[in-house]
């Protein structure tokens, strides 16, 4: 086996491994973005190669599309696929109601569009991503570049009336320049520490001129699969109210580990 993984990477791997069990031949599958989603794409590619699984993948970023092709997954656009059976993605935070903060990888716009165009969304995460209240992770919002400072000022003004613990808003940078998303937009990170009413905040944010979308995913996630460093996974289904524990045999192949770019 390749070099020993850290407990966090083991947790991500087993969550991803369990998630791809939900995928069947003939499905159209949304492919998330980020380090945990990258494990999922590699595990899915292994099933495609070893089992002849016939699927179509719809990636949520250019880097996910590139990885999926490298793994032998047939990739298409959402416009071509039209509607998906399932989307599997990571999250930066999730709470007991499976409300999420996403966008740490700057792909929140495509991620939300793909997830809402799916019959089911499964989130894969390590146990550290579960929180009592959202907000410790900075909330990303995608904004258009034109007049971005005005949009930022409007967001700051709006936050005064919101029940949040802090109100620091920063422009996400890529070196000395603003980070630019796949849709040629900017990202503002809202350092709120605690969000008492995520649903209200999500609605209000999207009313601000210049804001394209926010990283709060409310009533979108159906199942969360929580990975643990010892190989255990917890599968929590918000619709059925069920929670089950499984043990994943940790024997990843060289194909999954090869050329990891995460």
């Amino acid at each position: 086996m390749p070099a020993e993984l850290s407990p966090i990477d083991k947790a991500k791997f087993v969550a991803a491994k369990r998630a791809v069990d939900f995928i069947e031949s003939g499905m159209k599958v949304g492919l998330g973005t980020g380090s945990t989603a990258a494990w999922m794409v590699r595990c899915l590619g292994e099933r495609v190669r070893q089992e002849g699984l016939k699927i179509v993948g719809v990636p949520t970023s250019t880097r996910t599309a590139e990885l999926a092709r490298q793994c032998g997954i047939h990739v298409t656009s959402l416009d071509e696929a039209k509607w998906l059976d399932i989307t599997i993605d990571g999250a930066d935070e999730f709470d007991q109601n499976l409300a999420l903060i996403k966008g740490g990888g700057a792909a929140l716009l495509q991620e939300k569009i793909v997830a809402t165009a799916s019959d089911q969304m499964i989130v894969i995460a390590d146990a550290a991503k579960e929180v009592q209240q959202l907000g410790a992770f900075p909330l990303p919002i995608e904004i258009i570049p034109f007049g971005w400072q005005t949009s930022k000022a409007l967001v700051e003004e709006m936050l005064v009336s919101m029940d949040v613990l802090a109100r620091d808003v920063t422009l996400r940078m890529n070196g000395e320049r603003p980070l630019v998303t796949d849709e040629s937009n900017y990202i503002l990170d809202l350092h709120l520490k605690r969000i008492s009413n995520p649903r209200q905040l999500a609605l209000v944010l999207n009313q601000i001129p210049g804001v394209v979308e926010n990283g709060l995913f409310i009533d979108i996630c159906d199942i969360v699969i929580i990975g643990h460093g010892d190989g255990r996974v917890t599968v929590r289904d918000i619709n059925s109210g069920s929670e089950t524990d499984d043990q994943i045999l940790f024997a990843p192949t060289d194909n999954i580990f090869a050329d990891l770019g995460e």
Side-chain angles (χ1 to χ4, degrees):
M1 188 175 70
E4 186 71 12
L5 291 180
S6 69
I8 289 293
D9 280 335
K10 286 182 181 179
K12 292 177 178 181
F13 170 77
V14 296
K17 187 78 169 176
R18 178 67 179 86
V20 299
D21 290 342
F22 285 84
I23 298 175
E24 302 173 359
S25 272
M27 282 188 169
K28 292 180 283 188
V29 183
L31 306 174
T33 295
S35 58
T36 311
W39 283 114
M40 178 272 299
V41 173
R42 290 176 177 276
C43 289
L44 187 55
E46 188 179 42
R47 287 195 62 193
V48 169
R49 292 189 300 271
Q50 294 187 354
E51 303 173 23
L53 190 71
K54 304 295 184 183
I55 63 162
V56 174
V58 174
T60 56
S61 67
T62 54
R63 59 187 181 275
T64 294
E66 181 179 354
L67 177 61
R69 292 188 184 100
Q70 291 173 358
C71 293
I73 298 171
H74 175 64
V75 170
T76 191
S77 67
L78 183 59
D79 286 334
E80 183 70 25
K82 294 184 172 61
W83 194 261
L84 309 181
D85 297 286
I86 193 170
T87 287
I88 303 176
D89 204 347
D92 299 302
E93 284 186 347
F94 67 92
D95 66 14
Q96 61 183 356
N97 298 314
L98 303 197
L100 319 171
I101 286 181
K102 289 179 52 57
L108 67 97
L109 178 57
Q110 291 190 27
E111 288 172 336
K112 188 174 280 191
I113 293 171
V114 169
T116 53
S118 306
D119 288 335
Q120 187 177 54
M121 182 193 189
I122 296 178
V123 161
I124 49 178
D126 59 87
K129 301 295 175 61
E130 183 170 12
V131 296
Q132 290 297 313
Q133 276 191 310
L134 299 177
F137 190 91
L139 172 65
I141 61 173
E142 188 156 341
I143 62 171
I144 66 170
F146 175 81
W148 73 266
Q149 294 189 58
T150 299
S151 298
K152 178 176 179 288
L154 289 170
V155 169
E156 291 169 335
E157 181 180 357
M158 176 275 297
L159 287 175
V160 173
S161 63
M162 292 290 107
D163 187 3
V164 294
L165 192 60
R167 298 180 179 87
D168 186 30
V169 180
T170 58
L171 178 68
R172 192 179 301 183
M173 304 297 289
N174 182 15
E176 296 182 355
R177 296 179 178 273
L179 182 145
V180 177
T181 70
D182 279 353
E183 302 301 320
S184 300
N185 295 318
Y186 292 171
I187 295 285
L188 292 179
D189 288 311
L190 281 52
H191 304 263
L192 308 177
K193 296 187 178 179
R194 186 199 67 228
I195 302 171
S196 295
N197 192 333
R199 188 183 304 275
Q200 178 192 36
L201 182 58
L203 291 172
V204 173
L205 278 169
N206 282 12
Q207 301 304 310
I208 295 175
V211 174
V212 181
E213 190 53 82
N214 68 82
L216 286 165
F217 284 50
I218 312 295
D219 298 332
I220 297 176
C221 177
D222 299 285
I223 294 172
V224 64
I225 300 178
I226 306 164
H228 305 272
D230 60 0
R232 291 180 300 113
V233 291
T234 301
V235 180
R236 190 176 301 163
D237 188 323
I238 193 69
N239 297 312
S240 68
S242 65
E243 180 170 310
T244 59
D245 288 304
D246 294 321
Q247 185 77 30
I248 302 296
L249 294 177
F250 189 73
T253 68
D254 289 336
N255 285 333
I256 293 178
F257 280 87
D259 301 323
L260 271 176
E262 293 294 325

